[in-house]
Amino acid sequence: MAMLSLGCSEEWAEERPPTTWLEGRALVAGVPLTRGWVELSPVPGTVGTFRSGRIGSDGRFRVDGLTVGRHSARIVHPPAGVMIPPVAYQLGSPLVVEVRAPGPNRMDLDFFGLTARPWGDSEP
């Protein structure tokens, strides 16, 4: 009986959506942030869960385990004194990125202008 249940378990398992990654730079008015987190959450119509990635001292971040689709991006714990619109901190931020499989998914996210551009298009 145990062997029979092992053979069938894969049939009953839910199919998981494909996942990928997003990397880039977190910016404020074109200037890289030096710390904090980028948090991404799927917008309605995209399956998946909230994911986050730490911002390095050069503004670069990487978020792994993202489902394919559209995700809202917000900033958490940026450096003190950086001017960021309050809406950029909120869940459901208007800054939305399209995550594709297999990628590449490389974006510069500007949390002041609430824009996403392919990595390198907004060099400071």
Side-chain angles (χ1 to χ4, degrees), residues 77-117:
H77 304 298
V82 176
M83 298 297 293
I84 299 174
V87 70
Y89 293 101
Q90 298 173 355
L91 284 173
S93 157
L95 176 50
V96 175
V97 297
E98 181 78 28
V99 177
R100 296 188 171 119
N105 292 295
R106 294 182 174 103
M107 304 291 289
D108 284 335
L109 305 180
D110 195 313
F111 289 95
F112 186 79
L114 301 173
T115 59
R117 294 190 177 103

